[in-house]
Amino acid sequence: MTIQDMVRVLNARVLIGEEKLDMPVYTACCSDLMSDVLAFVDEKTVLITGLTNPHVVRTSEMLDLKCLVFVRGKVPSEEILDSAEEQGLVVITTKATAFTACGLLYAEGLRGVPVPLEWDMEGKK
Amino acid sequence: MTELIRSSYPVETADYASAGSASADIKRKLKQLGITGDVLRRVSVASYEVELNLVIHSLGGELTLSVFPEYVQLVSADRGPGIPDLSLAMREGWSTANDEARSLGFGAGMGLPNMKRNADDFDIQSEVGVGTTITMKFKLA
């Protein structure tokens, strides 16, 4: 699907990146824990989150993410949106909760970002 | 070996607002040198993690980027307080982060293990009352 499809499925509002909505997306991750996003996300994907501090955008920048989806109708500050725009991120907001947003996107074919196998192996003590 | 770039960034304790700015600059510099893809992503993640650790846990310190023809090196050196039990600190899920760090989405105890995972070479030296030095190397091609 494309980001435009995500906007439709989530009945979302586009905050940044109107011109990039035709970008294809295949996977997503959902977390309010940036530590986990940094540790487990290995590809240019979509982050669904309820956290709206500057570190969400910073984390996206380090991982080269494509799109940020804020749930429960959250809208980050202008300053945060400006920095998202600078790095070319698409930012959308939906009234859906994180659980519902994930369910709707999964039903349309989006899948969870794969967690690298070697991490599973290493992680088990 | 010829050093192509060397940049140092002071990182202050509890400076949550600008945490990550050094890593953003490091990423820009590496991109300018034509470093991309997997290496760029791994350096960026490790650098952000180590910068956050300086902000969250240290009494202040410095992050230094060096680029050599064959590898990228990140060194984080702080002024304390030092880590009493390194093997515990390296354990996934172990965290001593405060509520402020946790409210920002950090402090899950993934930082040090994640740095180790992303770097090709990871070394940590720590002495209580003195400080902690982390050296990470990332091979280029």
Side-chain angles (χ1 to χ4, degrees):
Chain A
M1 70 169 72
T2 62
I3 297 177
Q4 182 70 63
D5 294 325
M6 288 177 45
V7 170
R8 175 179 50 78
V9 169
L10 298 173
N11 196 15
R13 187 155 65 88
V14 180
L15 301 173
I16 296 290
E18 193 79 51
E19 71 288 354
K20 292 183 178 165
L21 299 183
D22 56 354
M23 203 188 288
V25 288
Y26 308 100
T27 60
C29 63
C30 176
S31 184
D32 287 351
L33 202 51
M34 296 304 110
S35 294
D36 272 359
V37 177
L38 283 166
F40 293 115
V41 173
D42 245 358
E43 59 181 50
K44 298 177 180 183
T45 187
V46 174
L47 172 60
I48 301 160
T49 187
L51 203 65
T52 55
N53 69 56
H55 289 287
V56 174
V57 172
R58 198 65 99 185
T59 298
S60 307
E61 181 179 4
M62 293 306 142
L63 292 168
D64 281 328
L65 301 188
K66 289 177 179 172
C67 177
L68 274 175
V69 180
F70 291 107
V71 296
R72 301 191 296 278
K74 292 187 177 196
V75 176
S77 69
E78 278 300 317
E79 199 185 349
I80 294 173
L81 287 176
D82 287 348
S83 84
E85 190 163 28
E86 260 173 49
Q87 349 155 1
L89 266 176
V90 180
V91 182
I92 66 177
T93 183
T94 173
K95 284 185 179 166
T97 62
F99 178 83
T100 303
C102 292
L104 290 168
L105 293 171
Y106 192 94
E108 289 284 320
L110 204 62
R111 289 295 175 261
V113 68
V115 174
L117 185 63
E118 66 272 19
W119 178 251
D120 287 347
M121 309 283 276
E122 276 180 15
K124 294 214 173 81
K125 297 282 187 287
Chain B
M1 201 186 291
T2 328
E3 202 174 28
L4 304 173
I5 274 193
R6 187 186 183 86
S7 298
S8 288
Y9 305 84
V11 180
E12 297 309 320
T13 179
D15 186 5
Y16 294 97
S18 56
S21 54
S23 302
D25 195 69
I26 285 172
K27 187 170 186 184
R28 265 193 299 277
K29 285 206 163 76
L30 294 177
K31 264 186 177 169
Q32 281 166 8
L33 284 176
I35 296 167
T36 55
D38 179 58
V39 177
L40 179 66
R41 191 192 55 75
R42 289 190 289 115
V43 177
S44 301
V45 169
S47 137
Y48 189 36
E49 293 273 24
V50 82
E51 186 180 357
L52 284 163
N53 268 16
L54 284 172
V55 170
I56 295 169
H57 300 288
S58 84
L59 302 172
E62 196 171 59
L63 180 59
T64 304
L65 163 76
S66 307
V67 182
F68 298 91
E70 287 172 7
Y71 62 93
V72 175
Q73 178 177 276
L74 289 176
V75 177
S76 159
D78 69 36
R79 299 186 287 275
I83 302 169
D85 186 338
L86 265 185
S87 63
L88 204 53
M90 290 304 299
R91 191 185 295 170
E92 244 176 67
W94 172 260
S95 175
T96 57
N98 60 23
D99 287 347
E100 191 169 7
R102 289 174 199 265
S103 74
L104 292 170
F106 300 108
M110 303 302 292
L112 288 171
N114 198 26
M115 288 174 220
K116 191 177 179 190
R117 184 174 74 105
N118 278 290
D120 291 311
D121 194 63
F122 176 90
D123 178 68
I124 181 165
Q125 303 291 333
S126 191
E127 196 179 329
V128 174
V130 181
T132 302
T133 301
I134 296 173
T135 306
M136 293 181 277
K137 289 180 185 170
F138 307 81
K139 287 181 202 152
L140 291 170

